[in-house]
Amino acid sequence: MKVTELAKEFGTTPDTVRYYTRLKLLNPTKSENGYKYYPPTEISRLKFILSARQLGFSVSDIQHIVDEASLGKAACPLVRSLIKERLAETEKQFQAMLALRKNMKDALAQWEVKEDKAPTSTMVCHLIDSFEPTENNGGSHE
């Protein structure tokens, strides 16, 4: 299969296939006319990569898993360990998003009863300046 055919087969873009090829996660063969062809092993590999990405594995994680498998080792223990890490990261992000959502709802409730004010030399928008979270959500400055 050529790049465009492979991309179409999996509902992705040719650029995505080329990206994984540049990273050496996919290894096509070259024909005499210069086209890259992806044999069945590489088609299976792309399916694996796309599935792993949908599960939140990073490209680095995928490379690590592929490297482990290429040594003839079962990658399953590594996969379980990595998914636990990704799940913990996702949970942390989810909690941060819930805190942000709560702040936004609180702000909207406070602001709906306040009048509009023109900016001054010391104030851009009094709504933001006057916002008071109902509880401390850790206000990170990342």
Side-chain angles (χ1 to χ4, degrees), residues 43 84 94 113:
I43 295 168
K84 286 176 186 174
F94 178 67
V113 297

Side-chain angles (χ1 to χ4, degrees), residues 18-37:
R18 290 183 192 104
Y19 172 70
Y20 293 128
T21 301
R22 276 193 311 275
L23 294 177
K24 307 237 186 285
L25 286 170
L26 296 174
N27 300 300
T29 58
K30 278 192 179 179
S31 67
E32 289 179 15
N33 62 10
Y35 285 113
K36 291 179 182 174
Y37 285 95

Side-chain angles (χ1 to χ4, degrees), residues 38-84:
Y38 293 82
T41 55
E42 299 309 302
I43 295 168
S44 295
R45 175 69 58 90
L46 180 60
K47 182 178 186 231
F48 164 79
I49 293 167
L50 295 174
S51 294
R53 295 294 287 151
Q54 286 183 332
L55 286 165
F57 289 100
S58 69
V59 170
S60 176
D61 291 340
I62 294 167
Q63 186 63 63
H64 194 178
I65 295 164
V66 168
D67 289 347
E68 191 82 358
S70 71
L71 296 173
K73 298 179 182 178
C76 299
L78 175 61
V79 168
R80 286 186 194 99
S81 173
L82 289 170
I83 198 75
K84 286 176 186 174

Side-chain angles (χ1 to χ4, degrees), residues 78-96:
L78 175 61
V79 168
R80 286 186 194 99
S81 173
L82 289 170
I83 198 75
K84 286 176 186 174
E85 290 176 27
R86 297 303 153 259
L87 182 58
E89 292 165 1
T90 301
E91 183 62 34
K92 190 175 180 179
Q93 292 169 346
F94 178 67
Q95 293 303 322

